[in-house]
Amino acid sequence: MAASFFLPPPMALVCLSSIFVQSCWYLKWRAPYNVCAKIRLCTFTETDKMSDLTQTQFESSDDELPEEVAFDASKQAALKSVKDALVSAKREKNLLKEKRRKRQQLFQEQKKRKRLPEDLLEEFDTETQKQTEVTDNNKDEEETNTSETISKSLPENYTVIRLKDESASNSLQQSAVDFIQSRFYGPRTHRTTNAELLSLNKKRGANKGAAVQFANKKWAVDVKANVAKTNKRFMHKEKLIPT
Amino acid sequence: MVKHPKESEKHTKRGSAMGEFKVHRVRFFEYMPSGIRALAFNQQNERMAAAKMDGSVEIFHCSDRFFQEKIIPGRQQAGIEGLSWVGERLFSAGLNGVITEYDLTNQRVKYTIDAYGGPIWAITGNQQGTHLAVGCEDGTVKLFEVNEDKIQFERNLDRQKGRIISLSWHPSGSKIAAGMMDMIQVFNVETGHSIHRILVDRGFGTSRGKECVVWSVVYLSDGTIISGDSVGMVKLWRDDTGTLIKSHNITKSDVLSLSVSQNEDSIVAGTSEGFVVQFQFLSMVLENNDKDWVRTRTFRNHTHDVRAVAEITTAVASGGMDTQLVVRPFLDKHEVKSSASKLRKIQFPHRSLVSCARKAGTLLFQYPGHLELWRLGESEGEGIPGSSLLLKRKPEKLLHLKVKGEDHIRCSAVSSCGEWIAYSTTSSLRLYKLHCDSNNVSITKISKLPKVLGSASQLCFSSDSSHLFSASTQSSVHMVSLSQSECKFVATFKTKSGSHQAIHLLTASEDGKWLASANIDNEVHIYNLQTRKAHCTVPIYSSAVSAMAIHPTTNCLFMVHADQQIFEFSIEQKEYTDWSRLVQRQGLHKIWLERDTPCLNVTFNQKNPSHVILHDMYMFCIIDQSQPLPDSKSQFLNQLTLRSLPEEQRKSYSHAFKVCKTFKELLCVDVMCDQSLVVVERPLEDITAQLPAPIKQKKFAT
């Protein structure tokens, strides 16, 4: 099969590898997304850079004699490659399928191990059925239009809360507060600490002093306690304190 | 911030030129102011309203040295997002979805209306004073009609997708600009439809992923819309075409607030980094007609986010998360150097939050949600002036009393003997009796209070702890008697004049004969407690009274005003005393008058009747009435020089005002019965430690 591709000349192809055209069927190079590339397989055996080939080169047969390749042979080769490709794809699919099946079985077995014995489950099942039947009957008597059974359990994302516990306005207010909090103190804001602010003022001020964590006893008390503890431990370990 | 040991108290000995005091230096009052969220300036009566993060609203009198006239306390878990004046009425709106009107005379909430739009982000009134617009979370701008007694919902403008963060009326009242997420919508008020949808750029780099929030918009009368957004740009838009005129990048973080001046020639923008930028409508060449908005000044007076700015006629007021209200005058508008042309930083409230039980040696601290009663420590031995004494017994916390309900405390008092505690919120008053044995402390609530006692704007116990005075509505004072476990109504004192403003100061005399009250209209009334009738009224002075007290022996009312003037009024003679007239004739020293924080407490020294002890935020001062007043040429702060002089020369140089600046950021200075001074300090560094995180700013050489 002859193939050629149309490309507007200035566009560059991203050619991922230099390939022998005949042996590839997959699109191993990517044209820019806004270029429609009509791809035709090339029958030449060696092509270094596909971008070098132009349409005229493919179709110009006036200057040179083309190679003598029997039509049948090349046809066979092409068909074979297609078949191989299909077969390998199928094989892979089957492999994946097998894997999935095995996994599913494993999960089922694990689930079985976790579940209660079969007979207990059957008992529960019959009881719930009886209850739903009773309620269904009641509902049918009251409302003639209900087509669906009212199940005991709620749909997935719903919970039941009392009105006075949480009102809609509270949650709206909370979301507004969260919005402000995230805009002001959220992840991408460039905030620093008050300790740093005061320490920098001291550093650049008229009377230069140490950072507030060091100068003032009240700041960073737990950090200092930690440091004291590790120091003590170190000294004890290295036996620096004469006993 | 990590908790530090609460009991830190030092005893020091101070020596003034004529007396030595043992000073209890108290730092365990962990007063934490809350950040300023919104500012609104009322042009007509020159008042500035400031809304705080805890829901309280404070009103400052801009011409009276920014004295904090009124404080309307907030509630637990309440926040305010916007304030708006409509004429003389004040409205606010918050994230709880309600619009609140305030009763400014009685300093409380008048009523609340639910806007039913979800959390409200912005509230603004039109210039005509007829309508209020609120911007809600659900994307609607709701219009409310302002009636005489209430506001009423009129209609919604077209609902938008996205929350409305900021609003601004066109001065004609026909259009509204709304700042939302990533865009600005311009509405035609009459039809309710959106005229323009202006898309705001998201910025570049990392901010492309976040939505651009238009934090504030300003609509000028020539159709220019000015917006400040979270990318840090101030953009000018045309409203007829909906296009961008100019954009200024002023900061890397957000531009949080904008304010325009009355004559629309100046705009100030507050940023997240803490500086305030001014833009002025000028022409680049002098006397040319092609004017443009040009960035002129930058004010760096804050360390944390500036969430509110307001342009007063000749100054810019800014407030934010660092809890300070900074008023920065424009120096080109002031020709003379006066008190109005000074930079002013208002940090502490202008009401006393500490009450001292003089005989019992305990202190009552008023927090918004609870009260704490502490007993002072004791030290032993003597020392040289300026030294620290060791504590024999540490100060201990006797009581932690939580408020019932959600309101914040408005005022509180402890009796002199330390056995009675009273506090009031805007809705109720509570009285407790304290039983203090050597080890146990127990309190009992006095449940049956006289019905007359609603909420009080100020509370005061008599000096023998037998009566409680409570200032309530219409400038009246209720007097109730206290016995072992019950409380009986005795009398009500009303004023003959028609002032209905709330009383903010109450003081009783030591001998139990006189009671003085001062209200926001600068009226000071004196009542005779024995005849239970009004005695006299002090002549009205132009400035508000910031502190007053009655002298124990001479029964003279000593008053200090917000403009630092001092008056002494003799109650028995019903006229100013000679010393007061001398002070007025001679005038106070320049340095005394230039102080920028008001005096909050006046007390007297029992050992020396001519001493008056005052304090403001940065100093405390002992005024000796027997000594000559300083004249304008003499050195005012002369304590250190006097100490260096030998004894004989001191007399010629010393004057009446003895100022001590050793203790900083004072909340209260009082004298206990055992002649020791109590100085309650709150260092600003400790307040800064507990503020939210500031933006990181890169400074040179760090």
Side-chain angles (χ1 to χ4, degrees), chain B residues 84 120 149 186-188 235 265 364 431 437 455 459 542 609:
Chain B
S84 175
I120 301 178
D149 51 345
V186 184
F187 293 95
N188 180 336
K235 296 189 172 187
D265 63 353
L364 183 73
L431 183 62
D437 302 339
S455 88
L459 290 169
S542 55

Side-chain angles (χ1 to χ4, degrees), chain A residues 172-173 176-177 179-180 183-185 188 190-194 196-198 200 204 216 218-219 221-222, chain B residues 4 95 121 163 206 211 213 230 256 272 304-305 685-686 688-689 691-696 699-700 702:
Chain A
L172 274 177
Q173 190 177 352
V177 168
F179 162 72
I180 284 270
R183 287 313 297 225
F184 274 68
Y185 305 104
R188 292 264 195 88
H190 309 286
R191 298 265 167 186
T192 174
T193 58
N194 286 308
E196 182 143 342
L197 178 77
L198 289 171
L200 283 178
R204 300 177 86 232
N216 200 330
K218 294 184 217 162
W219 289 78
V221 168
D222 48 356
Chain B
H4 57 85
L95 290 180
W121 291 96
R163 52 171 68 94
T206 48
E211 284 174 317
V213 185
S230 60
L256 292 176
S272 215
H304 289 66
D305 310 41
E685 216 178 64
D686 293 350
T688 311
L691 292 176
I695 292 264
K696 190 183 180 85
K699 298 258 184 207
F700 180 73
T702 54

Side-chain angles (χ1 to χ4, degrees), chain A:
Chain A
M1 270 198 294
S4 70
F5 49 85
F6 301 93
L7 271 181
M11 287 281 193
L13 263 187
V14 177
C15 178
L16 294 180
S17 56
S18 68
I19 19 137
F20 292 136
V21 178
Q22 265 190 327
S23 61
C24 98
W25 174 255
Y26 306 117
L27 196 61
K28 276 199 179 164
W29 61 88
R30 247 186 283 144
Y33 66 92
N34 54 356
V35 169
C36 295
K38 184 173 167 188
I39 314 252
R40 288 195 290 170
L41 276 184
C42 185
T43 50
F44 295 156
T45 47
E46 285 175 28
T47 49
D48 256 359
K49 288 193 181 141
M50 298 307 291
S51 50
D52 287 344
L53 298 167
T54 57
Q55 197 178 349
T56 47
Q57 275 187 318
F58 276 124
E59 293 179 344
S60 65
S61 49
D62 294 320
D63 297 330
E64 300 175 320
L65 283 175
E67 273 184 33
E68 283 282 341
V69 180
F71 183 72
D72 283 335
S74 61
K75 184 181 175 187
Q76 294 277 336
L79 283 175
K80 188 162 172 258
S81 65
V82 168
K83 230 193 259 176
D84 281 342
L86 284 173
V87 161
S88 61
K90 249 194 205 164
R91 220 187 311 133
E92 278 186 29
K93 258 199 213 166
N94 284 337
L95 271 173
L96 279 173
K97 206 172 171 184
E98 278 295 317
K99 265 195 192 168
R100 266 189 260 131
R101 205 165 54 81
K102 280 200 182 140
R103 266 194 149 179
Q104 186 72 8
Q105 270 191 345
L106 180 65
F107 290 153
Q108 293 278 12
E109 280 176 20
Q110 283 183 343
K111 194 173 179 183
K112 252 194 205 165
R113 274 185 248 143
K114 271 190 143 184
R115 272 199 283 181
L116 296 167
E118 287 278 346
D119 38 4
L120 273 178
L121 285 175
E122 269 187 28
E123 230 183 83
F124 292 146
D125 214 15
T126 47
E127 280 202 13
T128 50
Q129 270 182 7
K130 278 192 210 152
Q131 281 185 4
T132 48
E133 277 172 11
V134 169
T135 52
D136 280 349
N137 288 336
N138 286 342
K139 291 280 165 95
D140 285 337
E141 281 167 6
E142 290 165 1
E143 303 157 37
T144 49
N145 288 339
T146 47
S147 50
E148 47 190 281
T149 56
I150 298 157
S151 57
K152 273 282 183 181
S153 62
L154 294 167
E156 277 175 13
N157 295 331
Y158 289 73
T159 51
V160 178
I161 51 169
R162 285 190 303 178
L163 251 185
K164 51 179 179 169
D165 287 342
E166 182 176 311
S167 57
S169 62
N170 227 357
S171 64
L172 274 177
Q173 190 177 352
Q174 191 54 45
S175 68
V177 168
D178 290 340
F179 162 72
I180 284 270
Q181 194 66 24
S182 71
R183 287 313 297 225
F184 274 68
Y185 305 104
R188 292 264 195 88
T189 50
H190 309 286
R191 298 265 167 186
T192 174
T193 58
N194 286 308
E196 182 143 342
L197 178 77
L198 289 171
S199 307
L200 283 178
N201 282 342
K202 283 182 88 173
K203 180 174 178 178
R204 300 177 86 232
N207 303 328
K208 310 219 185 287
V212 282
Q213 294 100 316
F214 301 109
N216 200 330
K217 275 180 263 178
K218 294 184 217 162
W219 289 78
V221 168
D222 48 356
V223 174
K224 286 180 191 162
N226 255 348
V227 165
K229 228 196 301 181
T230 43
N231 277 347
K232 205 170 166 185
R233 217 185 306 143
F234 175 76
M235 289 206 283
H236 193 77
K237 190 174 164 194
E238 302 289 323
K239 298 187 177 56
L240 290 172
I241 309 171
T243 46

Side-chain angles (χ1 to χ4, degrees), chain B residues 159-178:
Chain B
R159 185 176 167 165
Q160 305 296 319
K161 282 190 194 151
R163 52 171 68 94
I164 308 233
I165 301 275
S166 50
L167 284 178
S168 176
W169 285 85
H170 188 265
S172 68
S174 57
K175 292 182 270 191
I176 288 186

Side-chain angles (χ1 to χ4, degrees), chain B residues 340-374:
Chain B
S341 63
K342 279 175 51 170
L343 172 70
R344 206 170 274 281
K345 289 194 181 185
I346 300 164
Q347 174 80 56
F348 287 163
H350 293 173
R351 303 269 173 96
S352 190
L353 296 172
V354 179
S355 323
C356 295
R358 298 214 181 114
K359 291 175 199 156
T362 55
L363 298 174
L364 183 73
F365 296 143
Q366 178 184 321
Y367 289 90
H370 66 275
L371 291 173
E372 285 184 7
L373 187 71
W374 288 73

